Amino acid sequence: MKNMTPSKPNYEIVITMGDPAGIGPEIICRALSAMSAAERATAMVVGDPAIYRRAAASIGAAIEFVPFEQVESGKDCVAVGVVEVPEGVEIPDGKISAAAGGMAFRCVHKAVELVQAGRGQVIVTAPLNKAALHKAGHHYDGHTGMLASLTGAPSSFMLLASETLSTLHVSTHVSLREAIDRVTPGRIIATVEAGQAHLVALGMKAPRIAIAGLNPHCGEGGIFGDEDSRCIAPAVERLQERGFDVSGPISADTVFYRASKGEFDLVIAQYHDQGHIPVKLIAFDTTVNVSLGLPLQRTSVDHGTAFDIAWQGKADATNMGSAIAYARRLASGGKA
């Protein structure tokens, strides 16, 4: 029997709205307005067209938003995977609300469905607010945990990528106490494997990976803790035996500096702040958040919803532009 399913366009990137009360819609529209018509034709946004139209008008951008099923070939417009605000529901600008959290979740869910159906290649996420997400009944630690749940992935890893310094985290959104407990040989090895696979996919033949120590001076021979010698060093040895170009544990007060000077391609950070602080200090505006270990590819801005400036025409879209550029690189198999 002939397949009667109509063909749909396959978009390079699928951009989610994030929390509609925040700066997500604005920075998306700014990024779209900076694209050529050909680039816009390869991008789909997910969310309520009315919100995108309002955001475009607020920055003086002439962008037409059309449901992706209705896009005509050659037309200069932006395709939309439609997720509408329920009738009668109001979303206050710049404030935490269950309505906004619910929209943010439904946009991500829709984006996952679109990519899994072959309508798009790489998801790019605008920022959401975790408190709003929780108010809506979606108790995730953020995008990474949500995407792992929606795709059935057993685990995922957060990569912060920049031209100067890139870090991949053994743990992220957990307490410092729990982060210490997660420093195990198995978790470290899995993190390195995910980082290695990602860099190889981007065209790097032999990534040089450094593994940061957990304790001051890597424990100083057990004086300041034994996790470095008991958990990290054995993981490094096992990886080296398998042919990985890994070094460590290296004291965290020097390893990021050495990597920023070109000695390493990636640093494995043991917990959230250990990796986030140096990367954001060096490349706050251009760092891209990339999820590894999922059955789909996703990049994100590395900042929050900025409720204090939302819907005021003040938001800077530099980081969104970086996230989109990295997503296009992933979609093209690592080609710049």
Side-chain angles (χ1 to χ4, degrees):
M1 179 183 285
K2 183 184 260 186
N3 186 352
M4 300 301 291
T5 302
S7 61
K8 304 292 183 187
N10 184 351
Y11 293 91
E12 212 172 59
I13 55 174
V14 178
I15 309 171
T16 65
M17 180 177 284
D19 189 308
I23 62 172
E26 179 185 339
I27 60 175
I28 291 170
C29 288
R30 287 191 186 280
L32 291 170
S33 66
M35 296 179 189
S36 66
E39 289 171 331
R40 279 191 291 273
T42 65
M44 182 198 299
V45 298
V46 178
D48 194 320
I51 295 176
Y52 282 118
R53 293 186 188 109
R54 180 190 169 206
S58 73
I59 62 169
I63 304 171
E64 184 175 356
F65 295 93
V66 179
F68 80 93
E69 301 93 338
Q70 301 171 22
V71 172
E72 299 175 8
S73 178
K75 183 178 179 65
D76 184 6
C77 64
V78 174
V80 185
V82 177
V83 177
E84 294 182 315
V85 177
E87 188 175 351
V89 173
E90 293 187 7
I91 297 177
D93 294 345
K95 295 182 179 179
I96 295 171
S97 71
M103 273 294 291
F105 172 79
R106 291 195 294 127
C107 287
V108 174
H109 191 278
K110 177 75 171 182
V112 169
E113 290 181 335
L114 288 165
V115 170
Q116 290 178 332
R119 306 295 186 241
Q121 293 176 257
V122 183
I123 295 173
V124 180
T125 57
L128 54 72
N129 181 279
K130 297 179 185 65
L133 195 66
H134 285 215
K135 272 182 172 287
H138 305 294
H139 299 285
Y140 299 103
D141 64 351
H143 275 113
T144 307
M146 185 195 307
L147 287 165
S149 176
L150 290 173
T151 59
S155 63
S156 57
F157 305 89
M158 181 186 291
L159 168 70
L160 297 185
S162 77
E163 292 295 325
T164 308
L165 174 66
S166 295
T167 63
L168 185 61
H169 300 68
V170 173
S171 68
T172 49
H173 296 133
V174 297
S175 70
L176 187 55
R177 173 65 267 167
E178 186 175 345
I180 294 170
D181 294 337
R182 293 195 182 194
V183 178
T184 65
R187 181 72 180 176
I188 293 166
I189 289 170
T191 306
V192 172
E193 289 173 337
Q196 172 97 357
H198 179 75
L199 294 176
V200 169
L202 288 179
M204 195 174 293
K205 292 183 179 179
R208 301 162 301 162
I209 301 174
I211 302 182
L214 174 67
N215 296 302
H217 309 297
C218 297
E220 201 77 79
I223 298 173
F224 307 136
D226 67 351
E227 290 87 356
D228 294 89
S229 59
R230 179 169 53 84
C231 301
I232 301 176
V236 173
E237 291 174 6
R238 286 160 61 180
L239 288 162
Q240 290 172 339
E241 289 171 358
R242 292 170 52 190
F244 286 78
D245 186 356
V246 295
S247 304
I250 301 173
S251 183
D253 62 2
T254 60
V255 67
F256 298 102
Y257 173 80
R258 291 168 62 181
S260 72
K261 295 301 180 182
E263 189 173 344
F264 305 111
D265 302 304
L266 177 67
V267 177
I268 304 300
Q270 298 301 331
Y271 54 92
H272 183 281
D273 284 9
Q274 187 185 59
H276 277 59
I277 291 171
V279 175
K280 289 192 174 186
L281 179 64
I282 291 173
F284 185 85
D285 291 330
T286 57
T287 296
V288 178
N289 184 328
V290 187
S291 295
L292 306 187
L294 300 174
L296 50 73
Q297 299 183 104
R298 171 255 178 176
T299 71
S300 179
V301 295
D302 192 38
H303 59 71
T305 50
F307 284 152
D308 58 323
I309 61 168
W311 293 100
Q312 298 175 38
K314 299 178 180 179
D316 187 335
T318 300
N319 202 239
M320 174 56 75
S322 297
I324 289 172
Y326 202 98
R328 291 194 189 281
R329 186 179 172 196
L330 290 174
S332 65
K335 299 174 184 176

